[in-house]
Amino acid sequence: MLSTKIIRRLVFFGALFSWIGLSVIDVVILFTTKNALAVNIENFFSRAFLDSFIIFLFIYYHFQVQRYASSNFIDLLWRVFITGLLAIFVSIGLSYFLSIFEGHSFAVNPFVLNIQYHINIGVICALLISSYHVFKRLILYQKTISLLRLWNVFEYTLLASVLLNFWDLEFTEPFSLSVFFFLTVMSIILSVNMKWVAYLNFNQKLKSILLLTLSGVYLYYFINLVLVRVNLEASITLLQSNVTIIALFTFVSVYVVFSILVLLFNLPTSSVFEQKLGDVLRFKDLSQTFHSEQKDEFVFDVLLNSSMSAVLADAGWLEITEKGKELLLHYEISGSDIAAIKTNIDTSKDKKSSIFRRRKIYSLNKGAYKSVLVCPINIQGVAAGDLVLLKEVKDGFNKDMLEIIETFTAQAVISIENARLMEEAITTERYKEELKIAQKVSESLLPDRLIEHESYEITSFSQAADEVGGDYYDTFRIDDENIALVIADVSGKGTSAAFNMSQVKGVFHSLVPFGLDPIDFIVRANETLGRILEKNNFVTLSYFIVNTQEKSVRFVRAGHCPTLYYSKEEDRTFYFKNKGLGLGVIRKKEYLPFVQEIECVYQSGDIMVVYTDGITEATNPEGDEFGYDRLQHCLTRFKDLSALDIQDAIIREVYHFCDTNPLKDDYTMMVIKFK
Amino acid sequence: MLEISTKKQEGIYHIIITGEVDASSSIELDKQISMALDKGENKLLINCTGLSYISSAGLGVFMSYVEPMEAEDLKMVIYGLSPKVYNTFEILGLHQVLTIKQTEEEAKGYLNEV
């Protein structure tokens, strides 16, 4: 495929060649006629060259105008004007050049005149065809299918009309006349399409009128030159008998005249269109304020400004009361005047006390402002305030204006709501990040590994219901013989429980190195935690000291789930039901009477299971709890397994029991099997 | 779900708890009890006949009134606990510090003791 650039050039040379051909042939014909030579050159060639010249020019300008696809209307008209200026410059320049030789035979030489005439033909054709293409763009602006069809009929008929010349049909022939008549009617019908005019502002319209008027002047000049004042003797090719050229002339003239008239009549209404365009632009401003992280006040400021200029209000204010904060923006009006207008409206015949918070246009009799427009502002469905616009003239607002203001307000509110949602989303995201960190910290509060000893196996398991949990377990070697174990559950769950859990860990680690008796340990722990816990919070805890030398366990239960025990000797499982009270429950009274220390001697094969209530209170979809009996039964079943296997088996049973139910609470378990 | 209703009868302020007390609904329970104390009530009867579950946060609410009420010589009695719910009170040791009765009569009797 050839590029359009190459085609344009080829077509240009085609046009140039045709024009030269036309001129040469005409001169030759003239010469042979003058000298009565018997060389018979058909006028046919002359006509053919003219037609091909017109066609080539037509195609050339078709591409040429396409190149200016992005130019605006004024630029297009400017091109017509410049082409005309060049054409007229060439034409007048030539006439002037010949007038220098006034009286000289050169000036009346038919050959010279013939060449002048041909140059004129060239520039006129160029002017007409370029104007034709520009006007085509204008007519087809915002085209419809029917308009396009109509245009195609016109264009093809126009192009086909070159054949009339080709077959040497005179303009005056009935057929030619009817074709011309048809094209004229079409020109008039098509020239009604002036949509582009509406898109010009006042200044652009003035410019267009000027450019078109000047183009009209050129046209008149050329009509005179070519169609009226023609030296017949010097011309072989006569444009006034060419239907195509005359139809083009007609079309261009009609469109120029129509455009000028339409532009003139549209001048007074330009301001309205400019106003509407302004509305759209302001609307865009309102939508874009969202992107620029502006505060609400800025959005409201844009809203008030846009609204005022959209309806040409003389003054206005905007009042927002939200979350106890008040915002008042006002233009061209003072605070005291606002109050005056408010009372004025209240006492006007529109009675009702809740004047504001509803859209309405009021007329006032008193005061400087006679018209008032009120548009309520609702943010997230809640009435937040009003936008009030004022005009000095009576009946200055209408329904359309109210609608525009409502649209503006809605857009502003959307901007604000979006910004808030975005802010919320960001905050939520940040909280999530924080929670992730909390989760890591919370997990790190639990021990990596437990104190191991040759006389027992020990395993642990802990799972939080939320990101962070309130269960705690740990071990500590007090001395060679004594190892402390602890399991604790902080009341509540989630973040607050996790914070308290870290306190429990602190208390444990500060008390445990003293090697206190278990009972002393929890009395101290109760004292400390009673001071630092919030009034609604408590901690349940079981504290054990395993003496590997004596093979004994001493322990206390501070309100914690009873310890499950398997005795190898008796071959039975049971719960230790010693007295206990949660830490922090009693803070002033003596704690000691409420707790009881137990000591038991263990044997190889004995198993101790400590856990938190998450295990016993785990519920299945039917709402039943896992409970103490099931737990006890589990241990009975799995007693022969290793500590780790017992733990895994119990956890599996619990999960199996819960089925699809999610975790309600944190659960933790420690299994100690003595060797 | 938790429903709490209150009534005053013969100088006794009744708080009737129905449903489950979990971490979030415990706040409501706390509000009701503290409201009663703010009104100057000195005999609180907590009817837990309809209480099906209480979480540690809920126990925390009862617990938090133990010592303040003792200090001000106010009486609070809980009755009608199901065995399961009573068990949670018992494990924590709250039965040692709270007055828990089985029937309304016993509870009223306790409140009306001089």
Side-chain angles (χ1 to χ4, degrees):
Chain A
M1 280 300 287
L2 293 170
S3 73
T4 46
K5 195 175 170 184
I6 294 173
I7 295 177
R8 209 172 60 233
R9 284 193 181 152
L10 283 177
V11 170
F12 178 77
F13 285 116
L16 192 66
F17 175 74
S18 303
W19 180 79
I20 293 168
L22 174 69
S23 310
V24 170
I25 293 283
D26 279 7
V27 169
V28 171
I29 292 173
L30 195 67
F31 183 78
T32 50
T33 330
K34 275 263 170 197
N35 299 319
L37 291 178
V39 184
N40 195 11
I41 297 175
E42 280 281 348
N43 276 6
F44 167 80
F45 290 108
S46 163
R47 295 195 306 271
F49 274 124
L50 179 62
D51 287 346
S52 69
F53 176 59
I54 290 172
I55 299 287
F56 278 128
L57 261 189
F58 199 92
I59 299 168
Y60 173 72
Y61 276 108
H62 172 75
F63 286 116
Q64 194 70 14
V65 173
Q66 259 184 2
R67 283 173 74 196
Y68 312 129
S70 59
S71 22
N72 62 32
F73 303 124
I74 302 294
D75 285 349
L76 287 173
L77 292 176
W78 179 253
R79 285 185 194 285
V80 172
F81 169 76
I82 289 294
T83 317
L85 194 69
L86 281 174
I88 217 153
F89 183 75
V90 170
S91 176
I92 291 177
L94 213 58
S95 302
Y96 178 73
F97 176 72
L98 288 179
S99 70
I100 295 171
F101 302 95
E102 187 87 57
H104 195 274
S105 66
F106 177 74
V108 290
N109 186 320
F111 296 103
V112 175
L113 290 177
N114 200 275
I115 286 167
Q116 183 202 7
Y117 183 70
H118 277 91
I119 290 172
N120 276 336
I121 288 179
V123 294
I124 288 164
C125 288
L127 174 63
L128 285 177
I129 291 170
S130 70
S131 308
Y132 168 89
H133 280 291
V134 167
F135 292 164
K136 174 182 175 181
R137 275 277 298 278
L138 297 179
I139 287 173
L140 295 184
Y141 182 69
Q142 291 200 346
K143 57 182 175 273
T144 59
I145 289 179
S146 56
L147 175 62
L148 194 62
R149 279 188 194 136
L150 205 64
W151 178 265
N152 284 339
V153 170
F154 174 68
E155 189 164 282
Y156 293 138
T157 315
L158 189 70
L159 285 176
S161 71
V162 298
L163 293 173
L164 295 172
N165 179 52
F166 188 73
W167 285 319
D168 204 11
L169 279 171
E170 281 293 316
F171 182 70
T172 45
E173 301 265 340
F175 183 68
S176 304
L177 274 177
S178 53
V179 171
F180 172 71
F181 181 72
F182 174 75
L183 287 171
T184 307
V185 172
M186 288 289 282
S187 303
I188 292 168
I189 294 170
L190 288 166
S191 297
V192 177
N193 291 289
M194 293 280 175
K195 286 192 183 121
W196 58 281
V197 173
Y199 291 86
L200 303 179
N201 62 28
F202 190 79
N203 283 338
Q204 288 170 326
K205 279 182 185 148
L206 277 184
K207 264 188 214 161
S208 307
I209 291 176
L210 186 72
L211 291 173
L212 282 165
T213 312
L214 288 174
S215 309
V217 172
Y218 307 150
L219 278 176
Y220 179 74
Y221 169 83
F222 281 117
I223 288 172
N224 246 352
L225 189 71
V226 179
L227 303 184
V228 185
R229 293 188 296 135
V230 177
N231 184 345
L232 285 175
E233 196 215 350
S235 313
I236 302 303
T237 302
L238 291 173
L239 281 189
Q240 71 258 58
S241 65
N242 188 314
V243 177
T244 316
I245 294 298
I246 294 173
L248 270 172
F249 253 126
T250 315
F251 166 74
V252 172
S253 314
V254 166
Y255 201 73
V256 165
V257 171
F258 272 42
S259 305
I260 292 173
L261 289 178
V262 169
L263 281 164
L264 270 176
F265 288 125
N266 267 296
L267 271 181
T269 58
S270 334
S271 61
V272 175
F273 193 79
E274 278 170 46
Q275 179 76 29
K276 292 283 168 204
L277 203 67
D279 289 352
V280 174
L281 292 177
R282 278 186 285 271
F283 194 72
K284 208 181 93 201
D285 278 354
L286 275 174
S287 323
Q288 282 179 341
T289 47
F290 166 58
H291 302 291
S292 50
E293 287 187 5
Q294 297 292 352
K295 293 273 174 246
D296 295 359
E297 187 173 336
F298 178 79
V299 179
F300 286 128
D301 197 52
V302 174
L303 171 64
L304 182 58
N305 265 316
S306 313
S307 303
M308 279 180 64
S309 33
V311 298
L312 301 170
D314 298 314
W317 80 83
L318 190 151
E319 206 173 5
I320 296 283
T321 312
E322 217 193 354
K323 292 169 197 150
K325 276 193 287 180
E326 277 185 37
L327 173 69
L328 178 68
L329 301 170
H330 49 94
Y331 277 91
E332 311 291 333
I333 187 166
S334 69
S336 55
D337 286 346
I338 291 177
I341 288 166
K342 275 186 181 171
T343 47
N344 225 337
I345 292 176
D346 279 333
T347 53
S348 73
K349 55 183 180 284
D350 274 304
K351 70 262 175 206
K352 291 190 186 167
S353 55
S354 58
I355 298 292
F356 290 99
R357 303 291 140 92
R358 49 194 272 250
R359 57 189 289 260
K360 201 166 164 75
I361 295 166
Y362 298 93
S363 299
L364 297 180
N365 297 322
K366 292 184 283 179
Y369 300 104
K370 299 285 190 282
S371 311
V372 183
L373 184 153
V374 179
C375 182
I377 299 169
N378 298 325
I379 300 174
Q380 282 160 337
V382 179
D386 297 289
L387 170 65
V388 183
L389 301 174
L390 304 161
K391 270 193 188 182
E392 284 165 6
V393 292
K394 226 174 164 50
D395 300 323
F397 296 112
N398 58 34
K399 263 189 121 180
D400 290 345
M401 291 176 176
L402 189 56
E403 267 161 27
I404 287 175
I405 300 304
E406 275 195 309
T407 318
F408 277 16
T409 310
Q411 187 58 44
V413 167
I414 288 172
S415 292
I416 287 168
E417 285 175 353
N418 281 349
R420 288 185 185 174
L421 284 178
M422 186 61 99
E423 222 165 82
E424 274 169 31
I426 290 167
T427 314
T428 313
E429 202 49 45
R430 212 182 55 225
Y431 285 156
K432 276 189 193 161
E433 282 302 309
E434 295 286 326
L435 213 51
K436 267 188 203 163
I437 296 167
Q439 186 175 9
K440 276 189 194 148
V441 173
S442 158
E443 278 165 8
S444 70
L445 290 176
L446 295 175
D448 290 335
R449 41 194 289 274
L450 300 165
I451 304 295
E452 304 203 349
H453 195 271
E454 55 192 17
S455 60
Y456 60 76
E457 294 169 22
I458 186 165
T459 62
S460 66
F461 174 89
S462 188
Q463 174 79 52
D466 301 322
E467 279 81 358
V468 292
D471 283 359
Y472 176 63
Y473 66 88
D474 213 340
T475 52
F476 188 85
R477 184 186 288 278
I478 299 170
D479 51 38
D480 289 345
E481 299 170 12
N482 294 298
I483 292 155
L485 310 177
V486 73
I487 184 160
D489 182 0
V490 173
S491 68
K493 54 177 193 164
T495 326
S496 71
F499 278 121
N500 287 332
M501 184 265 238
S502 68
Q503 313 225 54
V504 172
K505 179 172 181 172
V507 169
F508 172 73
H509 278 278
S510 51
L511 291 180
V512 77
F514 295 114
L516 302 168
D517 286 339
I519 193 111
D520 293 334
F521 175 91
I522 54 167
V523 168
R524 295 273 179 89
N526 182 63
E527 252 172 52
T528 316
L529 287 171
R531 273 200 301 275
I532 58 180
L533 289 178
E534 269 185 272
K535 73 169 181 119
N536 277 6
N537 289 325
F538 61 87
V539 173
T540 68
L541 173 149
S542 285
Y543 181 75
F544 306 81
I545 292 179
V546 178
N547 188 313
T548 51
Q549 200 65 42
E550 293 168 11
K551 290 193 178 291
S552 72
V553 183
R554 284 185 300 149
F555 68 94
V556 282
R557 187 183 71 84
H560 198 76
C561 302
T563 301
L564 180 61
Y565 199 86
Y566 169 74
S567 161
K568 176 94 176 175
E569 190 182 32
E570 299 171 47
D571 189 28
R572 71 178 185 103
T573 54
F574 60 90
Y575 289 102
F576 279 111
K577 298 229 165 161
N578 49 341
K579 208 158 64 159
L581 181 65
L583 302 175
V585 173
I586 293 292
R587 301 186 184 189
K588 297 195 179 84
K589 285 199 295 187
E590 203 189 344
Y591 179 73
L592 190 61
F594 299 103
V595 285
Q596 177 192 3
E597 186 179 302
I598 288 187
E599 175 164 8
C600 79
V601 175
Y602 66 80
Q603 291 182 346
S604 173
D606 282 7
I607 304 160
M608 199 162 76
V609 176
V610 293
Y611 54 91
T612 58
D613 58 7
I615 301 268
T616 46
E617 288 180 9
T619 45
N620 65 9
E622 283 80 47
D624 300 325
E625 286 186 357
F626 189 69
Y628 294 94
D629 293 345
R630 279 196 188 83
L631 183 63
Q632 188 175 358
H633 185 66
C634 278
L635 183 59
T636 314
R637 269 170 65 201
F638 305 129
K639 60 179 198 284
D640 296 328
L641 303 177
S642 69
L644 183 64
D645 289 343
I646 293 170
Q647 175 183 282
D648 287 350
I650 294 175
I651 299 298
R652 212 167 36 241
E653 285 290 309
V654 173
Y655 274 125
H656 181 71
F657 177 79
C658 291
D659 199 7
T660 54
N661 247 19
L663 227 61
K664 203 165 69 175
D665 198 357
D666 311 328
Y667 55 83
T668 300
M669 177 181 277
M670 222 174 355
V671 178
I672 301 105
K673 189 167 188 176
F674 297 101
K675 291 196 217 170
Chain B
M1 281 304 293
L2 172 71
E3 271 182 49
I4 299 180
S5 61
T6 59
K7 64 175 179 185
K8 182 145 185 198
Q9 250 174 17
E10 298 158 11
I12 294 172
Y13 193 81
H14 295 246
I15 297 177
I16 301 123
I17 306 171
T18 319
E20 298 189 351
V21 181
D22 56 21
S24 51
S25 56
S26 69
I27 296 162
E28 177 63 19
L29 176 63
D30 194 25
K31 211 170 79 185
Q32 290 292 344
I33 297 178
S34 74
M35 252 168 56
L37 296 182
D38 288 346
K39 281 186 202 165
E41 300 296 340
N42 54 7
K43 290 177 179 178
L44 259 57
L45 182 78
I46 318 272
N47 177 348
C48 294
T49 344
L51 177 65
S52 56
Y53 167 81
I54 186 158
S55 75
S56 58
L59 294 169
V61 171
F62 286 124
M63 173 212 99
S64 68
Y65 288 100
V66 171
E67 285 183 329
M69 290 181 81
E70 269 177 22
E72 290 182 41
D73 206 18
L74 306 174
K75 280 181 168 180
M76 178 168 81
V77 61
I78 298 171
Y79 82 92
L81 294 174
S82 69
K84 197 187 86 181
V85 175
Y86 182 75
N87 194 35
T88 36
F89 276 79
E90 198 180 25
I91 286 172
L92 180 58
L94 278 185
H95 65 298
Q96 301 182 77
V97 292
L98 282 168
T99 315
I100 299 173
K101 301 285 178 192
Q102 285 199 325
T103 65
E104 189 171 347
E105 282 67 39
E106 285 176 72
K108 279 183 180 169
Y110 165 76
L111 287 176
N112 291 325
E113 272 173 25
V114 184

